[in-house]
Amino acid sequence: MSMNAPDPVATLLTADGAQAESCYHCGLPVDGAVRYRVRIDGAARPMCCAGCAAVAEAISGGGLDAFYRHRDALPEAAPEADAGRDLSVYDLPEVQADFVRTVEHPDCADAREALLIIEGIRCAACVWLNEQHVGRLPGVLSLDINYATRRARVVWDPSRLALSGILRAVIDIGYQAWPNDRAHAESVARGERRDSLWRLAVAGLGMMQVMMYAWPEYVAGELELSGDLAALMRWASLVLTTPVVLYSARPFFSRAWRDLCARRVGMDLPVALGVGSAFVASVWATLTQGGEVYFDSVTMFVFLLLAGRHLELLARQRAVRGVEELARVMPALTQRFTAWPALQTESVPVARLAVGDHVVVAPGEVMPADGRLADGRTEVDESLLTGESKPQARGVGDRVVGGSLNLASPVVVHVEQVGEATRLAAIRRLIGRAASSRPEVVQFADRIALRFVSSLLVLAFATGAVWLWLEPARALWVFVSVLVVSCPCALSLATPAALTVATGVLSRSGLLVTRAHAIETLARVTHVVFDKTGTLTTGDMHVERVSVLGDMDAGAAAALAAALEQHSSHPIARALRHYGAALGQPALSGLAAVTGQGVQACCEGRQVRLGNADFVCALSGVAAPVPPGGSATPVWLGDGRGLIARFDLGDTMRAGAAGLLAALRERGVSVSLLSGDATAPVRALAGVLGIADAHARMSPEDKRAFIEELQSRGAIVAMLGDGVNDAPVLAQAQVSVAMGSGTELARAQGDMVLLSQGFDALRRGFDTARATLATVRQNLRWAFAYNLLAIPPAMLGWISPWMAGIGMSLSSLVVVLNALRLQRRESR
């Protein structure tokens, strides 16, 4: 970078003044004369180094000056050495294989998606800056950054932009971007835990030693402790307290300073003011040999606060680790057959498996990929993926999921899905999506907490001023007590603590939360809408009978139906394919699906249709027949001359459906059944389950209009579905639950995904959601009540600083422990 290169937006200037200034970008002091300045918002701003100057030029040159006006904390100084980092290696296909996948996007049919770790994010403005700067790059289709976990999900068009260009853009504005590598993420987490533990250990050791020196002064009577001995103990306490303040409490001071530089009042500011003022006053009293010292209160307060922060860190990392644990389930190596059915195997990395490979999985080993059993019978444990602890029997032809545990005997698996296409990878992506958003209730609590801090500072300074006039000797520790006792940590923890615990409870039971608002909304649901096939029923449909209605025999009709359904993932299509698979398939052309109606194609020069009666009969113009009675689902086959055949398909009710509906009615929740199936099977299922409001032969548009009508009357609607047709309906509902066995599009639209095969997890989910909302309210009431009750005694001088530290820490601990009570629901 040239120091004299002109720039029309950000002009780099040189100043000869020797006055010390702080870097406008990172906040660090400028050593000596200011050599770098960047024009931002019409003024020349000082920069500490060429790295910060380059980053500030990139921000200002991109028209993103608003970043400096809205940031809540200052970024780290920009590392100049990163400018030479070779990023082209991340464009290699073999490197991208571990963290990049191909996705469909409305603006690009062959888009790429990657999960990255962004280092250096300190506040919401950092997130905004990255999303604005990187999001403007030509070829970037979407960018979502999770502030809590520092993970970014980016989707881009590889024909217009390389991944290295995205990483370089992040580096250009002073941050670091890395692929979401498990080893790197765990290394960062270990570093955070180690730093937190060291600070906690130093504070704990200092607190114990200082209390030993303070104890004699507390218990000694008047004139029983000589002046020299008292001075010696004060000096010893000063020596022991200094590392606690300068090392253990350093993060509070640094964050408070950054908040002040950013013209923002943060929750670390009252802590820094309380600790700093008490320590400075104690040092002055020690030097002058007069006045009170508060070394014991300072060390105890720092230790208690660090202990609470350490527990909060562990809880946050545990929530993130839930995603990482899913990734660590997969084995690194597996035994692959060199040429199946030959018995010779070779050990290969799981990353090198391809669709069509055959692998052998021994008892006690984890399935390396999604596929079907080609040989052997066994039982598998899918509890990590579905929440169902009961072993599942599997035989030849049955599906197995990568990440499940083989329990009984060795089996051979034919690989069908690998890498990012597996169900385990899909679950990881959904969990990551949930972590990228915050529900409104959390944002509300944060806004209240920030306003509370501002009010607290005014109140503390006013109290200190009054006591300075009434009794100057007590003014300082009353001021510190007010600051400390009412620090709104409990208020900030009240909501996220409960939601984090509830998310883990639901995930382990088989109900995956994929969007942050889902738990809060599920607790307030007043109306639940069910789809039929694949939702209230298992979707494992089978052909019960074939009725010939034309000149084609049953075998030929079944073969034609199987050919028409060859590309569909609907349960009806799978049943027809399975039934006619061994009969051969005729050649088709112009195969097309009509949403909610059926499929059509050209076979041997004539148009044929398969689907509902109205759709099929419209081709020939004949009147639609009266559907047969009973619970079977009729599927019609016809051409331009009339009907050819009718297939009657049966299905099985999903386990726990009756219990879920009974539980919903008991809670006063209304239930509706919307289905595109014929009237007879819909009414039959509704009669068995006692659903009074059941509607048949509904298109996706009809279902969506039905939900809109409910919402217009004030209903809070939850929708359960599993298919492509359900995706727009799921998006319309306030909260949606997609079946884990359904299509990927339905799972992508769902706010929650039911991974287990039965409804027990969802029934517990409704109970847990309501319990979570009740816990959030309890926590918020406690946080407000504590502050309202604790502040007046502190203002009156009835609470000392060390008592205030205990009270503040206990208030946060009560909130966390109350949230942890939700874990008891796992055993119910």
Side-chain angles (χ1 to χ4, degrees):
M1 182 188 71
S2 171
M3 289 180 54
N4 299 314
D7 188 292
V9 179
T11 305
L12 191 63
L13 303 174
T14 302
D16 297 328
Q19 184 179 359
E21 298 185 65
S22 297
C23 177
Y24 189 74
H25 177 72
C26 71
L28 295 177
V30 178
D31 295 331
V34 178
R35 300 179 57 226
Y36 304 96
R37 290 185 184 272
V38 174
R39 189 168 296 279
I40 300 173
D41 282 338
R45 310 293 185 177
M47 301 289 157
C48 64
C49 64
C52 284
V55 171
E57 281 193 62
I59 294 172
S60 181
L64 301 174
D65 288 1
F67 163 72
Y68 292 104
R69 294 193 295 270
H70 300 302
R71 60 182 175 177
D72 294 327
L74 298 176
E76 295 177 344
E80 297 179 73
D82 290 326
R85 177 179 162 198
D86 183 14
L87 301 175
S88 60
V89 65
Y90 296 111
D91 296 329
L92 299 176
E94 54 269 29
V95 175
Q96 292 188 0
D98 290 336
F99 67 96
V100 175
R101 72 184 189 104
T102 302
V103 296
E104 290 188 7
H105 190 275
D107 298 328
C108 180
D110 191 36
R112 300 291 189 272
E113 179 187 75
L115 192 63
L116 307 175
I117 300 175
I118 308 295
E119 292 185 19
I121 288 179
R122 294 291 181 268
C123 64
C126 296
V127 174
W128 175 86
L129 174 62
N130 278 274
E131 290 180 342
Q132 292 293 316
H133 181 72
V134 179
R136 292 181 181 182
L137 294 176
V140 173
L141 304 176
S142 68
L143 176 65
D144 299 308
I145 299 178
N146 174 5
Y147 171 65
T149 63
R150 275 56 170 176
R151 302 301 197 274
R153 187 182 68 87
V154 60
V155 180
W156 75 97
D157 182 352
S159 65
R160 302 172 60 196
L161 180 67
L163 178 59
S164 58
I166 297 174
L167 301 179
R168 173 55 59 194
V170 174
I171 293 174
D172 285 345
I173 54 174
Y175 300 85
Q176 289 293 305
W178 305 86
N180 188 29
D181 176 73
R182 296 197 300 272
H184 181 75
E186 183 58 32
S187 176
V188 173
R190 280 199 304 268
E192 289 181 342
R193 293 195 300 270
R194 183 171 56 250
D195 180 70
S196 177
L197 275 175
W198 270 108
R199 295 184 191 279
L200 182 62
V202 171
L205 182 62
M207 177 192 70
M208 290 186 291
Q209 297 299 318
V210 170
M211 288 300 295
M212 289 175 56
Y213 289 112
W215 182 252
E217 191 167 349
Y218 286 132
V219 299
E222 189 176 357
L223 302 178
E224 289 185 9
L225 196 64
S226 66
D228 291 341
L229 187 56
L232 177 62
M233 290 183 176
R234 288 190 174 192
W235 278 102
S237 297
L238 171 60
V239 171
L240 292 167
T241 305
T242 300
V244 174
V245 173
L246 298 183
Y247 174 69
S248 297
R250 179 183 175 185
F252 303 123
F253 290 106
S254 60
R255 287 192 290 262
W257 174 248
R258 288 174 178 175
D259 285 343
L260 287 175
C261 291
R263 298 180 180 88
R264 175 183 180 272
V265 177
M267 280 177 285
D268 287 308
L269 185 56
V271 175
L273 282 174
V275 172
S277 57
F279 179 70
V280 170
S282 300
V283 171
W284 177 255
T286 302
L287 294 175
T288 60
Q289 297 185 6
E292 297 290 333
V293 295
Y294 309 103
F295 293 123
D296 52 339
S297 298
V298 169
T299 54
M300 180 180 291
F301 172 53
V302 172
F303 172 77
L304 292 172
L305 190 56
L306 286 176
R309 296 289 175 94
H310 184 70
L311 292 175
E312 181 184 348
L313 171 68
L314 295 179
R316 177 172 61 84
Q317 291 191 354
R318 181 183 178 186
V320 176
R321 200 177 298 124
V323 184
E324 308 297 339
E325 285 176 355
L326 287 175
R328 285 194 289 269
V329 165
M330 298 301 287
L333 300 173
T334 189
Q335 294 296 318
R336 180 178 65 184
F337 285 96
T338 55
W340 173 257
L343 298 180
Q344 185 177 359
T345 63
E346 59 180 347
S347 181
V348 297
V350 169
R352 288 176 54 187
L353 287 180
V355 175
D357 285 345
H358 287 78
V359 297
V360 59
V361 183
E365 293 183 352
V366 173
M367 299 291 177
D370 292 358
R372 295 183 183 273
L373 290 193
D375 187 34
R377 296 187 63 84
T378 188
E379 291 184 335
V380 295
D381 179 2
E382 298 180 346
S383 57
L384 182 65
L385 305 174
T386 67
E388 296 178 357
S389 58
K390 183 179 178 181
Q392 307 294 311
R394 294 290 186 268
V396 174
D398 291 339
R399 287 189 58 84
V400 291
V401 182
S404 58
L405 180 65
N406 183 22
L407 298 176
S409 59
V411 291
V412 177
V413 178
H414 176 247
V415 176
E416 294 182 341
Q417 303 283 354
V418 297
E420 290 299 308
T422 62
R423 188 180 184 191
L424 183 65
I427 292 174
R428 291 204 312 268
R429 290 193 296 272
L430 291 173
I431 294 176
R433 184 180 73 181
S436 66
S437 58
R438 293 193 308 161
E440 179 61 30
V441 64
V442 174
Q443 299 178 39
F444 171 76
D446 287 347
R447 290 194 298 268
I448 294 297
L450 290 176
R451 292 174 183 172
F452 183 83
V453 171
S454 302
S455 304
L456 167 65
L457 292 175
V458 173
L459 192 63
F461 279 107
T463 302
V466 171
W467 275 95
L468 193 61
W469 177 63
L470 293 175
E471 192 174 346
R474 301 180 61 192
L476 177 62
W477 71 259
V478 172
F479 168 74
V480 172
S481 297
V482 173
L483 282 176
V484 172
V485 77
S486 54
C487 184
C489 297
L491 183 59
S492 296
L493 284 171
T495 302
L499 293 179
T500 299
V501 174
T503 299
V505 170
L506 293 176
S507 297
R508 287 187 289 274
S509 69
L511 184 61
L512 191 67
V513 179
T514 67
R515 286 190 172 91
H517 74 88
I519 295 177
E520 175 192 356
T521 310
L522 188 67
R524 299 185 290 108
V525 161
T526 61
H527 202 115
V528 178
V529 176
F530 291 90
D531 180 39
K532 174 182 171 287
T533 304
T535 304
L536 283 176
T537 63
T538 62
D540 296 328
M541 306 191 75
H542 55 279
V543 177
E544 293 182 342
R545 57 185 171 273
V546 180
S547 301
V548 176
L549 305 175
D551 56 0
M552 187 179 295
D553 62 54
L560 178 57
L564 286 166
E565 297 284 21
Q566 59 185 297
H567 298 307
S568 176
S569 60
H570 194 277
I572 290 178
R574 291 197 299 267
L576 291 172
R577 283 200 307 269
H578 183 266
Y579 184 77
L583 302 175
Q585 294 187 4
L588 301 177
S589 61
L591 182 63
V594 180
T595 302
Q597 302 292 322
V599 292
Q600 61 185 10
C602 184
C603 177
E604 299 177 354
R606 58 175 177 161
Q607 284 291 117
V608 292
R609 286 184 176 182
L610 179 73
N612 63 45
D614 291 337
F615 173 68
V616 174
C617 290
L619 185 61
S620 60
V622 301
V626 177
S631 60
T633 298
V635 179
W636 305 85
L637 176 66
D639 58 14
R641 295 173 295 180
L643 294 172
I644 297 174
R646 187 188 76 236
F647 301 89
D648 294 331
L649 283 76
D651 201 352
T652 305
M653 188 187 305
R654 191 177 293 273
L660 172 63
L661 292 171
L664 292 175
R665 294 190 193 97
E666 184 180 339
R667 289 162 178 75
V669 178
S670 302
V671 176
S672 296
L673 171 59
L674 309 182
S675 176
D677 287 355
T679 303
V682 172
R683 285 181 176 174
L685 181 63
V688 172
L689 294 175
I691 301 177
D693 188 29
H695 304 267
R697 305 183 70 175
M698 296 192 76
S699 67
E701 292 77 15
D702 295 334
K703 295 179 182 179
R704 183 169 182 173
F706 182 88
I707 291 180
E708 287 179 337
E709 173 63 21
L710 290 177
Q711 292 170 332
S712 68
R713 299 200 300 263
I716 300 176
V717 181
M719 171 68 192
L720 280 76
D722 79 315
V724 173
N725 296 348
D726 297 323
V729 191
L730 292 170
Q732 177 63 38
Q734 280 100 332
V735 61
S736 54
V737 181
M739 311 307 292
S741 57
T743 64
E744 182 173 353
L745 181 57
R747 293 196 299 269
Q749 289 293 339
D751 301 317
M752 310 177 92
V753 177
L754 182 63
L755 298 176
S756 57
Q757 295 301 311
F759 275 127
D760 287 343
L762 185 56
R763 178 180 55 79
R764 291 195 299 269
F766 277 100
D767 293 339
T768 301
R770 292 194 171 193
T772 301
L773 196 58
T775 300
V776 168
R777 290 167 177 161
Q778 291 168 5
N779 284 349
L780 290 175
R781 290 193 199 103
W782 161 255
F784 281 114
Y786 163 76
N787 283 290
L788 291 175
L789 293 175
I791 291 177
M795 295 175 63
L796 294 173
W798 297 350
I799 299 177
S800 63
W802 69 268
M803 293 170 61
I806 292 177
M808 189 275 296
S809 299
L810 285 178
S811 69
S812 300
L813 189 59
V814 166
V815 165
V816 174
L817 291 177
N818 191 40
L820 290 175
R821 290 192 306 115
L822 292 169
Q823 291 182 338
R824 299 178 185 174
R825 310 191 70 84
E826 290 187 76
S827 59
R828 297 182 184 180

